[in-house]
mmCIF file of all heavy atoms in Angstrom:
data_model
loop_
_atom_site.group_PDB
_atom_site.id
_atom_site.type_symbol
_atom_site.label_atom_id
_atom_site.label_comp_id
_atom_site.label_asym_id
_atom_site.label_seq_id
_atom_site.Cartn_x
_atom_site.Cartn_y
_atom_site.Cartn_z
ATOM 1 N N ALA O 508 -56.694 -174.295 21.331
ATOM 2 C CA ALA O 508 -58.138 -174.354 21.071
ATOM 3 C C ALA O 508 -58.812 -173.111 21.705
ATOM 4 O O ALA O 508 -59.732 -172.533 21.061
ATOM 5 C CB ALA O 508 -58.696 -175.620 21.744
ATOM 6 N N ILE O 509 -58.369 -172.687 22.850
ATOM 7 C CA ILE O 509 -59.000 -171.520 23.515
ATOM 8 C C ILE O 509 -58.714 -170.231 22.744
ATOM 9 O O ILE O 509 -59.618 -169.421 22.528
ATOM 10 C CB ILE O 509 -58.461 -171.403 24.982
ATOM 11 C CG1 ILE O 509 -59.049 -172.600 25.805
ATOM 12 C CG2 ILE O 509 -58.882 -170.101 25.596
ATOM 13 C CD1 ILE O 509 -58.419 -172.716 27.171
ATOM 14 N N LEU O 510 -57.499 -170.061 22.298
ATOM 15 C CA LEU O 510 -57.177 -168.877 21.479
ATOM 16 C C LEU O 510 -57.902 -168.816 20.171
ATOM 17 O O LEU O 510 -58.208 -167.762 19.647
ATOM 18 C CB LEU O 510 -55.641 -168.817 21.247
ATOM 19 C CG LEU O 510 -54.769 -168.386 22.407
ATOM 20 C CD1 LEU O 510 -53.298 -168.496 22.015
ATOM 21 C CD2 LEU O 510 -55.084 -166.973 22.900
ATOM 22 N N ALA O 511 -58.247 -169.982 19.646
ATOM 23 C CA ALA O 511 -58.988 -170.061 18.402
ATOM 24 C C ALA O 511 -60.484 -169.899 18.622
ATOM 25 O O ALA O 511 -61.259 -170.078 17.686
ATOM 26 C CB ALA O 511 -58.732 -171.360 17.694
ATOM 27 N N GLY O 512 -60.907 -169.558 19.842
ATOM 28 C CA GLY O 512 -62.294 -169.304 20.153
ATOM 29 C C GLY O 512 -63.055 -170.518 20.644
ATOM 30 O O GLY O 512 -64.286 -170.490 20.693
ATOM 31 N N GLY O 513 -62.306 -171.574 21.023
ATOM 32 C CA GLY O 513 -62.994 -172.791 21.437
ATOM 33 C C GLY O 513 -62.823 -173.086 22.932
ATOM 34 O O GLY O 513 -62.561 -172.227 23.716
ATOM 35 N N TRP O 514 -63.015 -174.360 23.275
ATOM 36 C CA TRP O 514 -62.977 -174.835 24.634
ATOM 37 C C TRP O 514 -62.063 -176.058 24.760
ATOM 38 O O TRP O 514 -61.655 -176.652 23.769
ATOM 39 C CB TRP O 514 -64.391 -175.212 25.066
ATOM 40 C CG TRP O 514 -65.384 -174.165 25.149
ATOM 41 C CD1 TRP O 514 -65.707 -173.341 26.209
ATOM 42 C CD2 TRP O 514 -66.184 -173.667 24.026
ATOM 43 N NE1 TRP O 514 -66.680 -172.477 25.857
ATOM 44 C CE2 TRP O 514 -66.999 -172.609 24.529
ATOM 45 C CE3 TRP O 514 -66.304 -174.031 22.722
ATOM 46 C CZ2 TRP O 514 -67.879 -171.924 23.706
ATOM 47 C CZ3 TRP O 514 -67.199 -173.386 21.900
ATOM 48 C CH2 TRP O 514 -67.974 -172.296 22.433
ATOM 49 N N ALA O 515 -61.789 -176.415 26.011
ATOM 50 C CA ALA O 515 -60.973 -177.628 26.255
ATOM 51 C C ALA O 515 -61.411 -178.247 27.590
ATOM 52 O O ALA O 515 -62.003 -177.587 28.449
ATOM 53 C CB ALA O 515 -59.504 -177.267 26.286
ATOM 54 N N ARG O 516 -61.112 -179.516 27.755
ATOM 55 C CA ARG O 516 -61.227 -180.211 28.976
ATOM 56 C C ARG O 516 -60.250 -181.340 29.052
ATOM 57 O O ARG O 516 -59.618 -181.679 28.011
ATOM 58 C CB ARG O 516 -62.654 -180.744 29.194
ATOM 59 C CG ARG O 516 -63.094 -181.887 28.251
ATOM 60 C CD ARG O 516 -64.541 -182.238 28.519
ATOM 61 N NE ARG O 516 -64.988 -183.364 27.715
ATOM 62 C CZ ARG O 516 -66.238 -183.853 27.804
ATOM 63 N NH1 ARG O 516 -67.138 -183.266 28.595
ATOM 64 N NH2 ARG O 516 -66.583 -184.919 27.063
ATOM 65 N N ALA O 517 -60.003 -181.906 30.225
ATOM 66 C CA ALA O 517 -58.878 -182.823 30.320
ATOM 67 C C ALA O 517 -59.098 -183.933 31.369
ATOM 68 O O ALA O 517 -59.880 -183.759 32.326
ATOM 69 C CB ALA O 517 -57.590 -182.072 30.655
ATOM 70 N N ALA O 518 -58.435 -185.054 31.161
ATOM 71 C CA ALA O 518 -58.398 -186.152 32.137
ATOM 72 C C ALA O 518 -56.957 -186.538 32.300
ATOM 73 O O ALA O 518 -56.198 -186.665 31.349
ATOM 74 C CB ALA O 518 -59.235 -187.335 31.660
ATOM 75 N N LEU O 519 -56.553 -186.785 33.571
ATOM 76 C CA LEU O 519 -55.217 -187.356 33.904
ATOM 77 C C LEU O 519 -55.447 -188.812 34.261
ATOM 78 O O LEU O 519 -56.418 -189.134 34.952
ATOM 79 C CB LEU O 519 -54.597 -186.578 35.060
ATOM 80 C CG LEU O 519 -54.546 -185.037 34.991
ATOM 81 C CD1 LEU O 519 -53.878 -184.504 36.268
ATOM 82 C CD2 LEU O 519 -53.758 -184.618 33.722
ATOM 83 N N TYR O 520 -54.547 -189.688 33.820
ATOM 84 C CA TYR O 520 -54.759 -191.100 34.153
ATOM 85 C C TYR O 520 -53.456 -191.820 34.374
ATOM 86 O O TYR O 520 -52.409 -191.461 33.880
ATOM 87 C CB TYR O 520 -55.525 -191.747 33.023
ATOM 88 C CG TYR O 520 -54.758 -192.034 31.782
ATOM 89 C CD1 TYR O 520 -54.096 -193.264 31.549
ATOM 90 C CD2 TYR O 520 -54.634 -191.043 30.780
ATOM 91 C CE1 TYR O 520 -53.347 -193.499 30.429
ATOM 92 C CE2 TYR O 520 -53.919 -191.318 29.587
ATOM 93 C CZ TYR O 520 -53.283 -192.557 29.464
ATOM 94 O OH TYR O 520 -52.543 -192.785 28.299
ATOM 95 N N SER O 521 -53.564 -192.846 35.239
ATOM 96 C CA SER O 521 -52.486 -193.843 35.338
ATOM 97 C C SER O 521 -53.256 -195.132 35.759
ATOM 98 O O SER O 521 -53.986 -195.655 34.995
ATOM 99 C CB SER O 521 -51.453 -193.422 36.399
ATOM 100 O OG SER O 521 -52.048 -193.283 37.661
ATOM 101 N N ASP O 522 -53.106 -195.582 37.026
ATOM 102 C CA ASP O 522 -53.916 -196.713 37.466
ATOM 103 C C ASP O 522 -55.264 -196.298 37.940
ATOM 104 O O ASP O 522 -56.180 -197.116 38.191
ATOM 105 C CB ASP O 522 -53.184 -197.546 38.558
ATOM 106 C CG ASP O 522 -52.706 -196.678 39.696
ATOM 107 O OD1 ASP O 522 -52.966 -195.454 39.684
ATOM 108 O OD2 ASP O 522 -52.044 -197.223 40.588
ATOM 109 N N THR O 523 -55.475 -194.957 38.073
ATOM 110 C CA THR O 523 -56.794 -194.365 38.257
ATOM 111 C C THR O 523 -56.829 -193.108 37.443
ATOM 112 O O THR O 523 -55.882 -192.873 36.652
ATOM 113 C CB THR O 523 -57.023 -194.047 39.772
ATOM 114 O OG1 THR O 523 -58.381 -193.548 39.935
ATOM 115 C CG2 THR O 523 -56.068 -193.004 40.292
ATOM 116 N N HIS O 524 -57.866 -192.269 37.549
ATOM 117 C CA HIS O 524 -57.868 -191.065 36.718
ATOM 118 C C HIS O 524 -58.596 -189.923 37.435
ATOM 119 O O HIS O 524 -59.442 -190.168 38.295
ATOM 120 C CB HIS O 524 -58.462 -191.376 35.333
ATOM 121 C CG HIS O 524 -59.954 -191.617 35.348
ATOM 122 N ND1 HIS O 524 -60.456 -192.882 35.644
ATOM 123 C CD2 HIS O 524 -61.019 -190.824 35.099
ATOM 124 C CE1 HIS O 524 -61.777 -192.843 35.579
ATOM 125 N NE2 HIS O 524 -62.119 -191.606 35.252
ATOM 126 N N LEU O 525 -58.215 -188.718 37.049
ATOM 127 C CA LEU O 525 -58.871 -187.542 37.512
ATOM 128 C C LEU O 525 -59.395 -186.775 36.296
ATOM 129 O O LEU O 525 -58.804 -186.790 35.206
ATOM 130 C CB LEU O 525 -57.853 -186.605 38.257
ATOM 131 C CG LEU O 525 -57.134 -187.147 39.478
ATOM 132 C CD1 LEU O 525 -56.107 -186.193 39.964
ATOM 133 C CD2 LEU O 525 -58.151 -187.404 40.582
ATOM 134 N N GLU O 526 -60.501 -186.089 36.486
ATOM 135 C CA GLU O 526 -61.123 -185.368 35.340
ATOM 136 C C GLU O 526 -61.440 -183.954 35.663
ATOM 137 O O GLU O 526 -61.860 -183.613 36.772
ATOM 138 C CB GLU O 526 -62.435 -186.052 34.896
ATOM 139 C CG GLU O 526 -62.311 -187.476 34.502
ATOM 140 C CD GLU O 526 -63.669 -188.123 34.240
ATOM 141 O OE1 GLU O 526 -64.658 -187.419 34.384
ATOM 142 O OE2 GLU O 526 -63.728 -189.329 33.942
ATOM 143 N N HIS O 527 -61.139 -183.042 34.727
ATOM 144 C CA HIS O 527 -61.802 -181.743 34.730
ATOM 145 C C HIS O 527 -62.663 -181.752 33.493
ATOM 146 O O HIS O 527 -62.261 -181.401 32.393
ATOM 147 C CB HIS O 527 -60.763 -180.611 34.628
ATOM 148 C CG HIS O 527 -61.353 -179.236 34.748
ATOM 149 N ND1 HIS O 527 -62.103 -178.638 33.776
ATOM 150 C CD2 HIS O 527 -61.378 -178.385 35.819
ATOM 151 C CE1 HIS O 527 -62.542 -177.486 34.189
ATOM 152 N NE2 HIS O 527 -62.110 -177.266 35.402
ATOM 153 N N TRP O 528 -63.909 -182.207 33.690
ATOM 154 C CA TRP O 528 -64.733 -182.587 32.560
ATOM 155 C C TRP O 528 -65.760 -181.533 32.137
ATOM 156 O O TRP O 528 -66.561 -181.732 31.246
ATOM 157 C CB TRP O 528 -65.439 -183.909 32.834
ATOM 158 C CG TRP O 528 -65.398 -184.901 31.698
ATOM 159 C CD1 TRP O 528 -66.446 -185.602 31.200
ATOM 160 C CD2 TRP O 528 -64.224 -185.295 30.942
ATOM 161 N NE1 TRP O 528 -66.009 -186.429 30.174
ATOM 162 C CE2 TRP O 528 -64.651 -186.224 29.979
ATOM 163 C CE3 TRP O 528 -62.895 -184.916 30.936
ATOM 164 C CZ2 TRP O 528 -63.817 -186.820 29.060
ATOM 165 C CZ3 TRP O 528 -62.078 -185.503 30.035
ATOM 166 C CH2 TRP O 528 -62.485 -186.441 29.108
ATOM 167 N N SER O 529 -65.692 -180.368 32.765
ATOM 168 C CA SER O 529 -66.512 -179.216 32.324
ATOM 169 C C SER O 529 -65.716 -178.466 31.250
ATOM 170 O O SER O 529 -64.542 -178.141 31.456
ATOM 171 C CB SER O 529 -66.816 -178.266 33.478
ATOM 172 O OG SER O 529 -67.556 -178.957 34.485
ATOM 173 N N TRP O 530 -66.355 -178.224 30.117
ATOM 174 C CA TRP O 530 -65.682 -177.439 29.055
ATOM 175 C C TRP O 530 -65.350 -176.065 29.578
ATOM 176 O O TRP O 530 -66.199 -175.415 30.200
ATOM 177 C CB TRP O 530 -66.568 -177.365 27.821
ATOM 178 C CG TRP O 530 -66.776 -178.681 27.098
ATOM 179 C CD1 TRP O 530 -67.898 -179.439 27.135
ATOM 180 C CD2 TRP O 530 -65.803 -179.397 26.348
ATOM 181 N NE1 TRP O 530 -67.695 -180.591 26.408
ATOM 182 C CE2 TRP O 530 -66.438 -180.576 25.919
ATOM 183 C CE3 TRP O 530 -64.500 -179.152 25.959
ATOM 184 C CZ2 TRP O 530 -65.812 -181.521 25.071
ATOM 185 C CZ3 TRP O 530 -63.881 -180.058 25.164
ATOM 186 C CH2 TRP O 530 -64.510 -181.237 24.687
ATOM 187 N N THR O 531 -64.147 -175.587 29.397
ATOM 188 C CA THR O 531 -63.729 -174.311 29.871
ATOM 189 C C THR O 531 -62.884 -173.547 28.843
ATOM 190 O O THR O 531 -62.295 -174.170 27.943
ATOM 191 C CB THR O 531 -62.916 -174.475 31.160
ATOM 192 O OG1 THR O 531 -62.534 -173.164 31.646
ATOM 193 C CG2 THR O 531 -61.620 -175.262 30.917
ATOM 194 N N ARG O 532 -62.948 -172.208 28.948
ATOM 195 C CA ARG O 532 -62.070 -171.356 28.154
ATOM 196 C C ARG O 532 -61.042 -170.674 29.036
ATOM 197 O O ARG O 532 -60.429 -169.702 28.601
ATOM 198 C CB ARG O 532 -62.927 -170.310 27.415
ATOM 199 C CG ARG O 532 -63.933 -170.924 26.426
ATOM 200 C CD ARG O 532 -64.402 -169.912 25.401
ATOM 201 N NE ARG O 532 -63.287 -169.481 24.606
ATOM 202 C CZ ARG O 532 -63.160 -168.276 24.029
ATOM 203 N NH1 ARG O 532 -64.092 -167.356 24.271
ATOM 204 N NH2 ARG O 532 -62.115 -167.974 23.345
ATOM 205 N N SER O 533 -60.865 -171.182 30.253
ATOM 206 C CA SER O 533 -59.897 -170.607 31.176
ATOM 207 C C SER O 533 -58.566 -171.362 31.128
ATOM 208 O O SER O 533 -58.505 -172.512 31.565
ATOM 209 C CB SER O 533 -60.489 -170.633 32.596
ATOM 210 O OG SER O 533 -59.476 -170.254 33.513
ATOM 211 N N GLU O 534 -57.564 -170.720 30.634
ATOM 212 C CA GLU O 534 -56.251 -171.332 30.623
ATOM 213 C C GLU O 534 -55.736 -171.553 32.055
ATOM 214 O O GLU O 534 -55.070 -172.579 32.325
ATOM 215 C CB GLU O 534 -55.242 -170.420 29.875
ATOM 216 C CG GLU O 534 -55.510 -170.249 28.402
ATOM 217 C CD GLU O 534 -54.501 -169.314 27.762
ATOM 218 O OE1 GLU O 534 -53.290 -169.512 27.987
ATOM 219 O OE2 GLU O 534 -54.918 -168.412 27.010
ATOM 220 N N GLN O 535 -56.073 -170.650 32.949
ATOM 221 C CA GLN O 535 -55.582 -170.769 34.336
ATOM 222 C C GLN O 535 -56.180 -172.007 35.032
ATOM 223 O O GLN O 535 -55.471 -172.723 35.689
ATOM 224 C CB GLN O 535 -55.984 -169.482 35.109
ATOM 225 C CG GLN O 535 -55.408 -169.448 36.511
ATOM 226 C CD GLN O 535 -55.760 -168.156 37.255
ATOM 227 O OE1 GLN O 535 -56.876 -167.644 37.063
ATOM 228 N NE2 GLN O 535 -54.836 -167.636 38.004
ATOM 229 N N VAL O 536 -57.463 -172.207 34.813
ATOM 230 C CA VAL O 536 -58.132 -173.352 35.430
ATOM 231 C C VAL O 536 -57.529 -174.687 34.915
ATOM 232 O O VAL O 536 -57.178 -175.581 35.719
ATOM 233 C CB VAL O 536 -59.639 -173.332 35.119
ATOM 234 C CG1 VAL O 536 -60.301 -174.679 35.486
ATOM 235 C CG2 VAL O 536 -60.313 -172.197 35.895
ATOM 236 N N LEU O 537 -57.341 -174.810 33.601
ATOM 237 C CA LEU O 537 -56.765 -176.023 33.051
ATOM 238 C C LEU O 537 -55.324 -176.186 33.443
ATOM 239 O O LEU O 537 -54.841 -177.316 33.674
ATOM 240 C CB LEU O 537 -56.902 -176.019 31.544
ATOM 241 C CG LEU O 537 -58.242 -176.561 30.985
ATOM 242 C CD1 LEU O 537 -58.215 -176.482 29.458
ATOM 243 C CD2 LEU O 537 -58.495 -177.946 31.481
ATOM 244 N N SER O 538 -54.590 -175.092 33.492
ATOM 245 C CA SER O 538 -53.189 -175.172 33.906
ATOM 246 C C SER O 538 -53.012 -175.767 35.275
ATOM 247 O O SER O 538 -52.176 -176.632 35.549
ATOM 248 C CB SER O 538 -52.538 -173.786 33.836
ATOM 249 O OG SER O 538 -52.501 -173.263 32.513
ATOM 250 N N ARG O 539 -53.871 -175.272 36.201
ATOM 251 C CA ARG O 539 -53.771 -175.798 37.587
ATOM 252 C C ARG O 539 -54.107 -177.269 37.618
ATOM 253 O O ARG O 539 -53.533 -178.041 38.333
ATOM 254 C CB ARG O 539 -54.762 -175.002 38.469
ATOM 255 C CG ARG O 539 -54.296 -173.545 38.777
ATOM 256 C CD ARG O 539 -55.368 -172.822 39.558
ATOM 257 N NE ARG O 539 -54.880 -171.488 39.930
ATOM 258 C CZ ARG O 539 -55.662 -170.537 40.452
ATOM 259 N NH1 ARG O 539 -56.931 -170.766 40.666
ATOM 260 N NH2 ARG O 539 -55.180 -169.359 40.741
ATOM 261 N N PHE O 540 -55.149 -177.663 36.862
ATOM 262 C CA PHE O 540 -55.533 -179.059 36.862
ATOM 263 C C PHE O 540 -54.415 -179.971 36.278
ATOM 264 O O PHE O 540 -54.101 -181.025 36.817
ATOM 265 C CB PHE O 540 -56.816 -179.254 36.052
ATOM 266 C CG PHE O 540 -57.205 -180.697 35.930
ATOM 267 C CD1 PHE O 540 -57.717 -181.397 36.957
ATOM 268 C CD2 PHE O 540 -57.023 -181.362 34.679
ATOM 269 C CE1 PHE O 540 -58.085 -182.764 36.851
ATOM 270 C CE2 PHE O 540 -57.369 -182.699 34.568
ATOM 271 C CZ PHE O 540 -57.887 -183.391 35.641
ATOM 272 N N LEU O 541 -53.832 -179.546 35.149
ATOM 273 C CA LEU O 541 -52.834 -180.367 34.475
ATOM 274 C C LEU O 541 -51.554 -180.524 35.282
ATOM 275 O O LEU O 541 -50.732 -181.378 34.944
ATOM 276 C CB LEU O 541 -52.545 -179.825 33.062
ATOM 277 C CG LEU O 541 -53.685 -179.942 32.029
ATOM 278 C CD1 LEU O 541 -53.337 -179.200 30.761
ATOM 279 C CD2 LEU O 541 -53.908 -181.418 31.719
ATOM 280 N N LEU O 542 -51.332 -179.704 36.275
ATOM 281 C CA LEU O 542 -50.134 -179.799 37.129
ATOM 282 C C LEU O 542 -50.295 -180.870 38.212
ATOM 283 O O LEU O 542 -49.382 -181.052 39.038
ATOM 284 C CB LEU O 542 -49.820 -178.444 37.724
ATOM 285 C CG LEU O 542 -49.208 -177.432 36.736
ATOM 286 C CD1 LEU O 542 -49.082 -176.065 37.393
ATOM 287 C CD2 LEU O 542 -47.875 -177.896 36.209
ATOM 288 N N HIS O 543 -51.426 -181.548 38.270
ATOM 289 C CA HIS O 543 -51.608 -182.688 39.190
ATOM 290 C C HIS O 543 -50.853 -183.906 38.681
ATOM 291 O O HIS O 543 -50.452 -183.967 37.496
ATOM 292 C CB HIS O 543 -53.069 -183.016 39.370
ATOM 293 C CG HIS O 543 -53.835 -182.028 40.222
ATOM 294 N ND1 HIS O 543 -54.341 -180.869 39.701
ATOM 295 C CD2 HIS O 543 -54.193 -182.054 41.512
ATOM 296 C CE1 HIS O 543 -54.953 -180.171 40.643
ATOM 297 N NE2 HIS O 543 -54.878 -180.882 41.738
ATOM 298 N N TYR O 544 -50.591 -184.844 39.557
ATOM 299 C CA TYR O 544 -49.835 -186.009 39.199
ATOM 300 C C TYR O 544 -50.402 -187.225 39.998
ATOM 301 O O TYR O 544 -50.799 -187.067 41.139
ATOM 302 C CB TYR O 544 -48.346 -185.830 39.514
ATOM 303 C CG TYR O 544 -47.468 -186.967 39.109
ATOM 304 C CD1 TYR O 544 -47.110 -187.140 37.795
ATOM 305 C CD2 TYR O 544 -46.951 -187.864 40.080
ATOM 306 C CE1 TYR O 544 -46.267 -188.158 37.388
ATOM 307 C CE2 TYR O 544 -46.111 -188.897 39.693
ATOM 308 C CZ TYR O 544 -45.764 -189.059 38.348
ATOM 309 O OH TYR O 544 -44.928 -190.065 37.948
ATOM 310 N N ILE O 545 -50.447 -188.402 39.317
ATOM 311 C CA ILE O 545 -51.041 -189.559 39.963
ATOM 312 C C ILE O 545 -49.955 -190.603 40.277
ATOM 313 O O ILE O 545 -49.821 -191.084 41.391
ATOM 314 C CB ILE O 545 -52.121 -190.192 39.090
ATOM 315 C CG1 ILE O 545 -53.203 -189.186 38.823
ATOM 316 C CG2 ILE O 545 -52.701 -191.451 39.802
ATOM 317 C CD1 ILE O 545 -54.311 -189.666 37.860
ATOM 318 N N GLY O 546 -49.106 -190.951 39.286
ATOM 319 C CA GLY O 546 -48.108 -192.003 39.491
ATOM 320 C C GLY O 546 -48.716 -193.391 39.367
ATOM 321 O O GLY O 546 -49.900 -193.549 39.083
ATOM 322 N N GLY O 547 -47.920 -194.427 39.589
ATOM 323 C CA GLY O 547 -48.417 -195.788 39.479
ATOM 324 C C GLY O 547 -48.374 -196.321 38.080
ATOM 325 O O GLY O 547 -47.684 -195.829 37.215
ATOM 326 N N GLY O 548 -49.170 -197.390 37.830
ATOM 327 C CA GLY O 548 -49.185 -198.038 36.516
ATOM 328 C C GLY O 548 -50.002 -197.248 35.515
ATOM 329 O O GLY O 548 -50.573 -196.200 35.827
ATOM 330 N N THR O 549 -50.058 -197.770 34.275
ATOM 331 C CA THR O 549 -50.797 -197.108 33.202
ATOM 332 C C THR O 549 -52.018 -197.886 32.802
ATOM 333 O O THR O 549 -51.933 -199.046 32.434
ATOM 334 C CB THR O 549 -49.878 -196.986 31.955
ATOM 335 O OG1 THR O 549 -48.661 -196.342 32.326
ATOM 336 C CG2 THR O 549 -50.550 -196.192 30.847
ATOM 337 N N ARG O 550 -53.202 -197.252 32.991
ATOM 338 C CA ARG O 550 -54.425 -197.868 32.565
ATOM 339 C C ARG O 550 -55.340 -196.783 31.973
ATOM 340 O O ARG O 550 -55.924 -196.002 32.685
ATOM 341 C CB ARG O 550 -55.124 -198.555 33.765
ATOM 342 C CG ARG O 550 -56.345 -199.373 33.315
ATOM 343 C CD ARG O 550 -56.896 -200.247 34.481
ATOM 344 N NE ARG O 550 -57.604 -199.458 35.463
ATOM 345 C CZ ARG O 550 -57.227 -199.300 36.726
ATOM 346 N NH1 ARG O 550 -56.056 -199.858 37.130
ATOM 347 N NH2 ARG O 550 -57.913 -198.610 37.557
ATOM 348 N N PHE O 551 -55.436 -196.744 30.629
ATOM 349 C CA PHE O 551 -56.233 -195.721 30.009
ATOM 350 C C PHE O 551 -57.721 -195.870 30.344
ATOM 351 O O PHE O 551 -58.210 -197.006 30.337
ATOM 352 C CB PHE O 551 -56.023 -195.803 28.473
ATOM 353 C CG PHE O 551 -56.760 -194.720 27.735
ATOM 354 C CD1 PHE O 551 -56.151 -193.469 27.566
ATOM 355 C CD2 PHE O 551 -58.000 -194.935 27.193
ATOM 356 C CE1 PHE O 551 -56.837 -192.420 26.902
ATOM 357 C CE2 PHE O 551 -58.691 -193.939 26.503
ATOM 358 C CZ PHE O 551 -58.107 -192.703 26.364
ATOM 359 N N PRO O 552 -58.414 -194.786 30.627
ATOM 360 C CA PRO O 552 -59.793 -194.841 31.046
ATOM 361 C C PRO O 552 -60.760 -195.011 29.874
ATOM 362 O O PRO O 552 -61.408 -194.013 29.437
ATOM 363 C CB PRO O 552 -59.998 -193.518 31.758
ATOM 364 C CG PRO O 552 -59.065 -192.567 31.098
ATOM 365 C CD PRO O 552 -57.868 -193.408 30.725
#
């Protein structure tokens, strides 16, 4: 999406969730966020 001129944002979830909810065009920022981990059960937000 970023290479095509757009933006992205992400949420990680399990029994709780984390968000990077600001739209960004930074691959580095999203990469760092997506490397987090929660563990536990699965509960979609």
Side-chain angles (χ1 to χ4, degrees):
I509 291 169
L510 285 176
W514 295 267
R516 67 183 184 181
L519 309 179
Y520 74 93
S521 62
D522 51 3
T523 184
H524 69 278
L525 301 173
E526 299 173 3
H527 186 286
W528 225 228
S529 298
W530 293 105
T531 182
R532 297 200 63 211
S533 172
E534 295 179 47
Q535 185 178 39
V536 167
L537 274 180
S538 296
R539 288 175 177 171
F540 175 74
L541 289 173
L542 287 173
H543 287 81
Y544 184 76
I545 302 175
T549 304
R550 188 171 73 245
F551 183 83

